[in-house]
């Protein structure tokens, strides 16, 4: 593996801050202590032997965050991709991520809203309002958080009402470009002094779309509204109950991909020449992306003399609809309407000790249940009449080049194309999980501490329904692949996953080339399947307090991501051992770090080095018009992270973060996409870089608060993020994937706020993506089936003004 380079940017920043501190007299100002709940109890961030970034409400406001894709911008070694736009964010931490766009798959980065686990990725952005703090825990969190946290965890912590005092609140109104307008408000009040408090928060945001559609309504719209009622009940000194009821809905017109044709002349399979323009184009399908969630979260705690018993009960009901023009052009080449609904219940019960002595512990039980139903309302192929002509031309071209397998593939597809029609899919899974865990700390002496965590998880994943059927372009039933494909068994034996017969397969089977492999149409289910698995995960760490300002730590932790059934498009029912199910993934993580403060708590510097052994990573691999959920054999990942927070002079705060990643697959073989119907023809991808793992990422934020006059307080904010080049596919530059990547880029944001001395009124002017950087957040190779590469673009420059009244 390559040696990690020197973090010269951070060294320069530290030098400048140190010089500034030495140049100014040490007045009475310092950084505030940051309290986090990363280890399920309130602790100073500087005393927790975990790599954690905490972003408070004031910084969230200054950064202008209002969706989860923003979070990665100020956290080292954290990225986010978005296959279908902001509605379905996919996080990556330290090179651990997923490339799956199916809504039933769980991310390896656990996302929690007020300790409630959000399994479905499309729920992750719906709670992003009225936030007290966001905590990002980097590294496996297998003890206290459990499965599906091989990369880390994100805690979204919303505001709670006070029990004493007066009625308080705020209202913020905003306007921005693209005809955008927003409003948010919150009000809280003690209903019974010292006993019961309530808080109501509301938010709405809408614009007319950031993607200029030359053929109708603009796309990539924002249309979001949400509300949350929080009740804080303290009937006795010992008992507290916190109830949160959240309802959120987002119904924008969809984001549209940028299709870059890969056929001669830059054409797609529909004969359209794409121009590669960002944020504009023409689409024949104006669909919407609708996400909706109602959640209930109840946290009850009871204090005994030396213990606290904590119960966290959560439930959510979420729905998802994504209507997408997947080819992003006026041709009717490929469009998909996803629909999913999920219900989830979680129960965490734990006992937290508060002994005065050197030993303390957390011991708990956990139960989780998810029921996810996914339907493809329609998945339309090749409706444009030019497609068969293009396919025949491609077949002739492949023959001329001597590529007989691809010539056969395109020839058979040309025969089949007029009858491809639509795929109708139904897929229901239930995920059930039980766990028991303990997290123990012991102060060996005044300076040396030991942490030991252990968790046992038992999972059962059940596929209760699967049906993949064939309709014509008008939606009339033709036949079914699953469960009634009468020829699926011999094709499974040959490793073939296709809806039609190529010339090569015709010679093997005696079937006519281009024949569809349908059985009788039915809505019945294919074979129901169930998989049980269990795992031990945990952590052991030592922390050493070198002095009052410096703590050193070293840790080993193990993470586990549950196995999953393949919800991708297939045409023959596979066995659990041969494609229907991806096995669990594991990571063994080793980390050493330092947490420190200098100059009378005016500089906070935290750094760590980590090394991962990553096994059986799950990811989707697109082969022709089929989607395969596979396990990578293994990967090694090492990296360095440095975070700096400093106050070199009163009113000025400087933040900086540096992340370095060196990651490569140690074992990975995937099908060669130029021969999609020959499963034996594979490529060895050992040494390739995993997806979403740029070698260098850097972020900074500058905040300066001052008084330009006796009546006004001003706050100026400027931040930036640098992301090195990265791949969106494990193939890297091989087998036609050289463009499935993003070059390095910078994003800059700025905000200026003016308020009165009492901070009752505030006016803010802001701009995001100041330099109009054009960049992509997701890409996938669709050359084999459709003749183009699919790119999803990041947000363009936006600017606006907000006005806030506090009372």
């Amino acid at each position: 593996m390559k040696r990690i380079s020197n973090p010269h940017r951070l060294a320069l920043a530290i030098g400048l801050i140190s010089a500034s501190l030495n140049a100014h007299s040490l007045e009475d100002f310092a950084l505030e202590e940051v309290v986090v709940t990363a280890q399920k109890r309130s602790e100073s961030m500087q005393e927790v032997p975990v790599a954690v970034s905490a972003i408070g409400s004031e910084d969230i406001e200054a950064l202008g965050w209002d969706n989860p894709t923003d979070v990665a911008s100020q956290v080292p070694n954290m990225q986010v991709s978005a296959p279908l736009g902001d509605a379905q964010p996919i996080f990556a931490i330290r090179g651990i991520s997923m490339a799956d766009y199916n809504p039933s798959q769980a991310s390896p980065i656990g996302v929690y809203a007020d300790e409630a686990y959000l399994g479905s990725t499309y729920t992750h952005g719906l709670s992003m309002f009225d936030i007290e703090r966001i905590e990002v825990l980097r590294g496996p969190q297998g003890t206290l958080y459990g499965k599906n946290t091989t990369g880390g965890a994100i805690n979204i912590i919303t505001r709670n009402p006070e029990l004493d005092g007066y009625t308080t609140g705020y209202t913020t109104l905003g306007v921005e470009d693209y005809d955008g307008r927003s409003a948010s408000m919150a009000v809280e009040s003690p209903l019974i002094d010292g006993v019961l408090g309530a808080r109501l928060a509301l938010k709405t945001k809408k614009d007319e779309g950031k993607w200029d559609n030359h053929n109708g309504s603009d796309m990539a719209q924002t249309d979001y509204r949400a509300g949350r009622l929080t009740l804080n009940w303290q009937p006795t000194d010992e008992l507290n109950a916190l109830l949160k009821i959240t309802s959120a809905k987002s119904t924008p017109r969809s984001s549209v991909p940028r299709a870059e044709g890969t056929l001669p002349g830059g054409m797609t399979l529909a004969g359209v020449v794409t121009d590669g323009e960002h944020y504009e184009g023409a689409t024949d399908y104006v669909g919407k992306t609708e996400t909706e969630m109602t959640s209930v979260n109840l946290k009850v705690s009871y204090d005994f003399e030396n213990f606290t018993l904590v119960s966290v009960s959560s439930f959510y009901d979420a729905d998802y609809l994504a209507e997408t023009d997947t080819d992003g052009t006026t041709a009717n080449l490929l469009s998909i309407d996803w629909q999913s609904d999920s219900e989830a219940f979680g129960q965490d019960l734990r006992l937290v000790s508060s002994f005065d002595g050197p030993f303390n512990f957390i011991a708990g039980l956990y139960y989780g249940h998810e029921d996810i139903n996914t339907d493809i309302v329609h998945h339309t192929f090749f409706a444009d009449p030019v497609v068969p002509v293009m396919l025949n031309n491609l077949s002739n071209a492949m023959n001329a080049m001597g590529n007989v397998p691809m010539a056969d593939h395109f020839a058979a597809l040309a025969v089949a194309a007029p009858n491809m029609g639509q795929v109708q899919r139904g897929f229901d899974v239930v995920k059930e999980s039980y766990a028991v865990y303990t997290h123990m700390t012991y102060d060996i002496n005044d300076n040396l501490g030991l942490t030991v965590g252990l968790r046992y998880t038992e999972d059962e994943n059940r596929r209760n329904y699967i049906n993949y059927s064939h309709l014509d372009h008008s939606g009339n039933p033709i036949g079914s692949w699953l469960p009634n494909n009468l020829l699926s068994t011999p094709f499974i034996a040959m490793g073939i996953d296709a809806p039609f017969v190529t010339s090569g397969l015709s010679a093997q089977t005696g079937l006519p080339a281009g024949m569809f492999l349908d059985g009788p149409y039915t809505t019945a289910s294919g074979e129901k399947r169930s998989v049980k698995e269990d795992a031990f995960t945990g952590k052991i760490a030592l922390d050493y307090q070198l002095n009052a300002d410096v703590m050193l730590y070293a840790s080993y932790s193990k993470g586990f991501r549950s196995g999953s059934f393949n919800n991708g498009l297939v045409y023959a029912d596979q066995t659990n051992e041969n494609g229907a199910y991806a096995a669990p993934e594991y990571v063994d993580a080793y980390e050493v770090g330092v947490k420190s403060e200098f100059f009378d708590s005016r500089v906070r510097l935290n750094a760590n080095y980590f090394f991962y052994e990553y096994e059986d990573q799950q990811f989707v691999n697109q082969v022709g018009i089929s989607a395969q959920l596979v396990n990578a054999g293994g990967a090694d990942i090492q990296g360095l992270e440095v975070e700096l927070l400093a106050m070199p002079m009163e009113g000025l705060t400087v933040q900086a973060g540096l992340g370095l990643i060196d990651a490569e697959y140690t074992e990975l073989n995937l099908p060669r996409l130029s021969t999609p119907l020959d499963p034996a023809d594979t490529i060895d991808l050992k040494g390739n870089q995993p997806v979403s793992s740029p070698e260098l990422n850097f972020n900074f934020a500058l905040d300066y608060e001052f008084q330009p006059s006796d009546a006004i307080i001003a706050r100026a904010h400027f931040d930036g993020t640098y992301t090195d080049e990265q791949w969106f596919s494990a193939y890297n530059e091989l087998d036609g994937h050289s463009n499935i990547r993003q070059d390095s880029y910078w994003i800059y944001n700025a905000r200026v706020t003016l308020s009165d001395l009492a901070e009752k009124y505030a006016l803010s002017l802001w701009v995001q993506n100041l330099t109009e950087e054009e960049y992509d957040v997701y890409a996938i190779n669709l050359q084999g089936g459709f003749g183009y590469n699919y790119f999803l673009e990041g947000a363009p420059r936006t600017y606006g003004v907000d006005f806030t009244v506090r009372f």
Side-chain angles (χ1 to χ4, degrees):
M1 301 180 74
K2 293 170 283 187
R3 182 175 298 173
I4 290 183
S5 59
N6 292 324
H8 54 280
R9 289 185 178 88
L10 195 70
L12 176 61
I14 295 171
L16 291 172
I17 292 166
S18 298
S20 178
L21 285 166
N22 290 329
H24 289 82
S25 61
L26 296 182
E27 302 173 11
D28 187 20
F29 61 89
L31 298 171
E32 294 183 0
E33 180 185 30
V34 177
V35 175
V36 296
T37 53
Q39 296 191 142
K40 304 293 186 180
R41 62 169 87 228
S42 296
E43 300 170 289
S44 169
M45 186 176 71
Q46 294 305 99
E47 297 176 359
V48 178
V50 176
V52 55
S53 300
I55 304 95
S57 57
E58 289 188 4
D59 288 330
I60 291 171
E61 180 181 344
L63 291 161
W65 290 0
D66 59 11
N67 68 69
T69 60
D70 298 324
V71 177
S73 65
Q74 291 293 309
V75 178
N77 283 336
M78 184 178 181
Q79 285 74 44
V80 62
S81 60
L84 297 172
D86 292 342
Q88 194 179 355
I90 296 178
F91 296 103
I93 296 178
R94 294 177 171 178
I96 292 182
S97 67
M98 72 175 189
D100 197 345
Y101 43 81
N102 289 301
S104 65
Q105 304 298 87
S107 170
I109 313 301
V111 177
Y112 299 80
D114 296 306
E115 297 194 52
Y117 173 62
L118 302 177
S120 298
T121 55
Y122 59 84
T123 65
H124 291 173
L126 295 175
S127 295
M128 286 283 291
F129 67 100
D130 200 43
I131 296 172
E132 177 65 31
R133 186 173 70 255
I134 295 176
E135 298 175 1
V136 179
L137 287 68
R138 302 188 296 280
Q141 306 299 319
T143 303
L144 291 171
Y145 295 85
K147 70 172 186 177
N148 301 339
T149 58
T150 44
I154 301 169
N155 287 331
I156 302 169
I157 301 158
T158 62
R159 295 176 185 264
N160 296 330
E162 299 291 337
L163 296 175
D164 298 298
Y166 303 94
T167 298
T168 60
Y170 71 88
T171 298
T172 299
L173 301 176
V175 294
E176 59 188 78
D177 56 346
Y178 302 103
D179 293 323
R181 54 274 190 200
S182 62
S184 58
M185 62 82 65
V187 59
E188 69 172 69
S189 178
L191 303 181
I192 304 174
D193 283 344
V195 176
L196 181 63
R199 182 179 181 91
L200 176 66
L202 302 171
K203 181 174 181 178
T204 180
K205 185 173 183 179
K206 185 174 183 177
D207 60 42
E208 292 307 313
K210 298 180 175 65
W211 194 85
D212 183 10
N213 182 17
H214 305 165
N215 197 39
S217 300
D218 290 343
M219 307 296 287
Q221 187 192 23
T222 301
D223 190 356
Y224 171 82
R225 54 270 193 200
R228 179 183 299 113
L229 173 65
T230 303
L231 297 176
N232 187 0
W233 185 45
Q234 184 87 42
T236 69
D237 291 341
E238 296 81 16
L239 178 62
N240 177 262
L242 195 63
L243 175 67
K244 294 176 182 280
I245 302 172
T246 303
S247 180
K249 188 171 186 176
S250 178
T251 57
R253 292 187 293 274
S254 305
S255 296
V256 180
R258 187 180 76 257
E260 294 190 356
T262 56
L263 302 179
M267 288 189 294
T268 71
L269 197 54
V272 176
V273 178
T274 55
D275 56 16
E277 288 294 322
H278 284 250
Y279 314 123
E280 66 174 289
T283 175
D284 65 316
Y285 183 28
V286 178
K288 63 180 179 180
T289 303
E290 182 174 302
T291 52
E292 184 174 6
M293 180 178 71
T294 299
S295 65
V296 180
N297 190 338
L298 176 63
K299 181 177 181 179
V300 180
S301 58
Y302 189 88
D303 293 330
F304 298 93
E305 183 177 355
N306 294 311
F307 303 96
T308 300
L309 182 64
V310 180
S311 169
V312 180
S313 307
S314 61
F315 170 80
Y316 72 76
D317 183 358
D319 297 288
Y320 176 65
L321 172 65
E323 300 171 335
T324 58
D325 179 9
T326 314
D327 61 79
T329 70
T330 53
N332 195 353
L333 176 60
L334 177 64
S335 62
I336 306 174
D337 285 1
W338 296 88
Q339 182 174 296
S340 181
D341 63 84
S342 58
E343 291 185 357
F345 172 77
Q347 175 62 56
D348 185 72
L349 182 66
R350 60 182 182 264
L351 189 65
V352 183
S353 72
S354 53
F355 300 135
D356 292 333
F359 175 75
N360 273 289
F361 72 89
I362 299 174
L365 300 170
Y366 176 80
Y367 171 73
H369 181 98
E370 295 178 79
D371 191 342
I372 306 170
N373 304 318
T374 303
D375 297 303
I376 306 303
V377 182
H378 79 255
H379 191 151
T380 302
F381 297 95
F382 306 152
D384 199 297
V386 77
V387 171
V389 178
M390 293 291 296
L391 287 165
N392 276 316
N393 292 339
L394 285 170
S395 178
N396 295 333
M398 292 296 104
N399 265 321
M401 297 169 58
N403 189 339
V404 176
M406 285 305 292
D408 288 345
H409 174 72
F410 287 129
L413 196 52
V415 176
N419 298 312
M420 284 294 288
Q422 303 179 30
V423 178
Q424 174 184 279
R425 288 195 269 169
F427 188 87
D428 299 346
V429 293
V430 173
K431 304 177 182 181
E432 201 159 24
S433 184
Y434 301 85
V436 56
Y437 63 91
T438 183
H439 178 271
M440 298 171 287
T441 60
Y442 180 70
D443 295 331
I444 299 172
N445 57 42
D446 289 343
N447 298 321
L448 183 63
L450 171 68
T451 300
V452 176
L454 184 64
R455 188 181 188 111
Y456 174 73
T457 302
E458 190 171 278
D459 274 2
E460 182 178 9
N461 292 326
R462 300 190 298 273
R463 191 184 74 183
N464 290 341
Y465 180 80
I466 184 169
N467 180 285
Y468 289 1
S469 293
H470 185 197
L471 313 177
D472 65 20
H473 282 130
S474 299
N476 300 308
I478 296 175
S480 295
W481 286 293
L482 277 68
N484 282 321
N485 183 345
L486 303 180
L487 297 171
S488 64
T489 301
F491 271 68
I492 291 174
M494 289 188 289
I496 302 301
D497 175 29
F500 56 89
V501 180
T502 67
S503 298
L505 289 175
S506 177
Q508 297 179 52
T509 63
L511 300 172
M515 172 187 174
F516 276 97
L517 302 179
D518 291 335
Y521 177 79
T522 179
T523 57
S525 175
E527 183 178 348
K528 296 182 179 180
R529 299 185 182 277
S530 177
V531 178
K532 290 185 178 181
E533 54 204 17
D534 56 25
F536 283 98
T537 55
K539 176 177 183 175
I540 183 168
L542 286 170
D543 59 88
Y544 182 73
Q545 199 70 39
L546 189 64
N547 55 46
D549 298 321
V550 179
M551 183 190 78
L552 309 174
Y553 70 90
S555 68
Y556 162 78
S557 55
K558 189 175 187 68
F560 153 72
R561 182 184 176 202
S562 179
S564 184
F565 285 102
N566 182 18
N567 190 16
L569 180 56
V570 295
Y571 302 95
D573 196 4
Q574 301 151 321
T575 65
N576 286 359
E577 296 74 24
N578 185 31
Y581 191 78
E585 65 180 43
Y586 298 90
V587 62
D588 291 291
Y590 306 86
E591 183 171 329
V592 294
V594 58
K595 295 193 172 186
S596 60
E597 290 188 350
F598 304 102
F599 302 107
D600 293 330
S601 296
R602 292 171 176 81
V603 174
R604 184 173 297 145
L605 181 64
N606 297 337
N608 64 76
Y609 166 81
F610 60 89
F611 176 77
Y612 288 176
E613 293 178 324
Y614 192 16
E615 297 181 359
D616 295 328
Q617 179 191 11
Q618 304 168 22
F619 64 92
V620 161
N621 188 44
Q622 188 74 32
V623 182
I625 57 177
S626 299
Q628 301 175 353
L629 184 63
V630 298
N631 291 100
D636 284 349
I637 305 173
Q638 66 169 333
L640 178 70
E641 294 163 348
V642 184
E643 291 184 284
L644 173 73
L645 177 64
M647 188 177 287
M649 57 183 290
E650 189 168 11
L652 176 62
T653 303
V654 179
Q655 300 182 62
L658 175 71
L660 300 170
I661 302 177
D662 181 15
E664 62 180 36
Y665 288 110
T666 57
E667 181 185 348
L668 179 61
N669 288 277
L670 293 179
R672 189 180 300 275
L673 300 188
S674 56
T675 55
L677 296 184
D678 184 1
D681 190 6
T682 62
I683 302 178
D684 184 0
L685 301 181
K686 179 179 179 180
N688 275 15
Q689 184 175 315
V691 300
S692 299
S693 55
E695 293 184 355
L696 171 65
N697 56 94
F698 177 75
N699 62 75
F700 72 86
L702 305 173
D703 287 279
Y704 184 52
E705 187 174 300
F706 61 99
Q707 281 191 238
S709 74
D710 291 339
I712 296 176
I713 298 174
R715 185 183 187 189
H717 171 90
F718 183 66
D719 69 79
T721 304
Y722 172 81
T723 305
D724 208 351
E725 60 183 6
Q726 60 180 310
W727 295 101
F728 294 120
S729 167
Y731 286 90
N732 291 187
E733 76 279 1
L734 301 177
D735 205 26
H737 285 74
S738 58
N739 292 326
I740 309 300
R741 61 192 295 274
Q742 171 59 49
D743 291 333
S744 59
Y745 63 96
W746 278 95
I747 297 291
Y748 299 101
N749 310 302
R751 175 181 289 260
V752 175
T753 300
L754 302 176
S755 67
D756 63 304
L757 294 183
E759 297 189 75
K760 182 177 180 179
Y761 305 100
L763 179 69
S764 298
L765 290 82
W766 56 267
V767 59
Q768 303 274 20
N769 193 359
L770 181 65
T771 58
E772 297 186 272
E773 185 72 35
E774 296 179 348
Y775 64 102
D776 296 317
V777 294
Y778 185 82
I780 191 169
N781 180 333
L782 295 178
Q783 298 171 26
F786 306 98
Y788 70 93
N789 290 327
Y790 172 111
F791 297 91
L792 217 293
E793 300 163 351
R797 183 175 65 186
T798 55
Y799 53 86
V801 58
D802 298 336
F803 181 68
T804 299
V805 178
R806 295 182 176 87
F807 55 88

